[in-house]
Amino acid sequence: MTKEKTEIEKLNLNSMNMADEKQKELLRLFPEICTEGGKVDFEKLKLALGEMVDTGKERYGMNWPGKAECFKTIQKSSEGTLLPLPNESVSFDSSENLIIEGDNLEVLKLLQKSYLNSIKMIYIDPPYNTGNDFIYPDNYSESLHTYLEYTGQIDSEGKRFGTNAETDGRFHSKWMNMLYPRLYLAMNLLRDDGVIFVSINDAEFSNLRKIMDDVFGEENFIGTLIWKSRHNVDSRNKTSLSSDHEYVVVYGHKLNGQGIDKNKYSNPDNDPRGAWMSDNMVGLATREQRPNLHYELLNPQTGITYSCPEKGWRYDRNTMAKKISEGRILWPSSPEGRPRHKKFLAEVRSEFTGFSTLLDVPNTAVGTQEVREIFGEAIFDFPKPVGLLKTLVQQGTSSDGNDIVLDFFAGSGTTAQAVIETNVSDGGNRKFILVQLPEKIERRDFPTITSITKARVEKTIERAKKIVSETLDLSNGKQLDLGFRYFKLDESNFEVWNRNALSKEGLEKQLEMYVDHVKAGRTSENILYEILLKSGFPLSTKVEIQKFENKTIFSIADGLLLVCLEDNITHDLIKHIADQNPERVVCLDQSFANNDQLKANAVQIFKTKGITSFKTV
């Protein structure tokens, strides 16, 4: 048996390599720029792009100290995983909502394969860079390692999570270095028709806009929403100017718009065309600009002539004549009156109209009161009001889809509450993904911010279940998702080969690890969800358990992928898996230890059945 027939492909345990993916796409679009070694020939790329190449030294753009390091951070893949915690979840087996405890930079890397172009709406409320907020690990290029130190999972080596003092010479740069890679990774997750909302105040508003232009493209800027965040005037400000507002910067496809007021439509004259409203038909152009829209209007039935408005009419003479013949003009009884137009509800192209950038939503004092009502006290500083988030959810998602809302600065969990309550009100099926660092706080009942996040979502679910049972008609069989799956960021379930272990002792340890490389204490479920995550399956994917000869097989997405994590795989078990005709199969590498014949048979059996992918881990 040749090596080609017996060698099994190893599952890649790293997160998506952004640089590799972009290079592959570039070579796909421009195959002529590929060098003999599979690299990019930039000179050929310039020739291919022609006049589109900007060769000037001076060009408009955004730059700051550390931006180059941001791209290194983005390109550094993650070797971490997300451990499932069913006992800390609500309806783990059926819910598609996620709460993830961990550093959002590392988590965003891990979500790249499974949620690429899948998120309909992103909302984040990042630190406003006041000088006291948590910013990022001092050594953020080693995010997973530093995160494990921060959470006390490994011994500290002096690294720490720090704040950003205004006296620091790179006060703004540090904040931008924290936010840029996270936004860049988030951009990959957003759907083509998706939208991202970012809360901010005056301190970093201008820098945020430039970062968003750089990442999402200036052409995708939708607008800036403004809302009154403060209830009382702040008299402590040295400038005597009270900053009572905050912003929500919006990029992406488009918003839904404001719903039209159908109460304005009625049918007092029993018009067979249905309900209508009286609509203005005065134009917007002067006589010099649009002379064809300036003319006197004659009521053919009464003979009354109406003078032309200063800005003319909306319609030219031919169109107006057609509307008169159709009985669509409302004629005043006096020549001093202004004729108007019948606008029929049935002809309205959309149930939505323009959405104002001035938000009519509650302030942060209301947000604090909402937290107090849930917990009995104000245990979280300056939470965003649920009304703000519900407004954004209504603008950024639809009620008739399975839209996913991502918040990777989850805080107290306001976004999840907004999604749940919006679903309850309109019967929608939106899902949420929350990511929150377990930042420590001085409380015994809630030792971390994540514990507050989780508790708030649990209490929101309890309240929603009561409302649903009392008021919502679910006779059509539709069920709201009132649960969540809880995951925790940690190191991979597998020992990673250390290429730098050059000493004899180091190599011996690596070889021992290679035989049995599953870390102690890790369960089959831990391993399963790492396989799902790194094979491109969402964490909410349906998982079913099969039994064969007292051995467990995990069936993923109705049998699309079969995973067997048993130590001792038999020929009959392999044949049983192959007979189910999955597209992909994953097994533990150690299951074939010292049994090359079984490995060779497995490859041939799967190949005969047309299984396109057989990998070990």
Side-chain angles (χ1 to χ4, degrees), residues 61-100:
M62 179 66 169
N63 203 5
W64 67 89
K67 185 176 182 181
E69 290 298 319
C70 285
F71 284 100
K72 292 181 181 179
T73 301
I74 292 166
Q75 293 165 6
K76 183 180 174 63
S77 61
S78 173
E79 295 176 352
T81 189
L82 300 176
L83 302 181
L85 300 173
N87 293 335
E88 296 189 39
S89 307
V90 176
S91 303
F92 183 91
D93 292 334
S94 59
S95 179
E96 295 181 47
N97 298 316
L98 307 177
I99 299 179
I100 302 172

Side-chain angles (χ1 to χ4, degrees), residues 31 117-118 120 133 225 254 259 273 309 346 357 412 526:
N117 299 324
S118 298
K120 181 62 170 68
D133 294 303
L225 309 179
K254 68 174 183 176
R273 290 167 289 191
T357 57
S412 67
N526 294 159

Side-chain angles (χ1 to χ4, degrees), residues 535-550:
S535 297
F537 286 89
L539 293 168
S540 57
T541 301
K542 180 181 178 183
V543 176
E544 296 176 301
I545 296 178
Q546 302 177 359
K547 290 290 184 179
F548 180 80
E549 295 181 343
N550 294 321

Side-chain angles (χ1 to χ4, degrees), residues 356-407:
S356 175
T357 57
L358 301 177
L359 300 183
D360 182 16
V361 297
N363 53 51
T364 52
V366 174
T368 301
Q369 180 59 33
E370 290 166 345
V371 172
R372 185 180 287 111
E373 290 174 359
I374 293 174
F375 293 99
E377 58 179 311
I379 64 172
F380 193 88
D381 295 332
F382 308 114
K384 292 294 186 289
V386 177
L388 169 64
L389 269 299
K390 289 173 74 171
T391 297
L392 300 184
V393 168
Q394 290 161 2
Q395 286 301 309
T397 65
S398 63
S399 61
D400 57 356
N402 296 310
D403 292 348
I404 303 174
V405 178
L406 168 65
D407 183 349

Side-chain angles (χ1 to χ4, degrees), residues 87-122:
N87 293 335
E88 296 189 39
S89 307
V90 176
S91 303
F92 183 91
D93 292 334
S94 59
S95 179
E96 295 181 47
N97 298 316
L98 307 177
I99 299 179
I100 302 172
E101 175 187 303
D103 171 53
N104 53 19
L105 177 64
E106 201 73 12
V107 172
L108 286 169
K109 290 181 179 181
L110 291 173
L111 297 181
Q112 293 295 305
K113 288 182 181 179
S114 298
Y115 292 91
L116 189 71
N117 299 324
S118 298
I119 306 299
K120 181 62 170 68
M121 169 184 158
I122 297 174

Side-chain angles (χ1 to χ4, degrees), residues 128-148:
Y128 281 4
N129 204 17
T130 62
N132 298 315
D133 294 303
F134 162 77
I135 300 297
Y136 65 94
D138 287 348
N139 189 354
Y140 64 93
S141 63
E142 297 182 19
S143 183
L144 178 61
H145 187 81
T146 313
Y147 166 76
L148 295 173

Side-chain angles (χ1 to χ4, degrees), residues 267-276 326-327 342 344 346:
N267 196 2
D269 59 351
N270 295 317
D271 193 309
R273 290 167 289 191
W276 54 272
E326 293 173 347
K342 266 189 175 183
F344 290 97

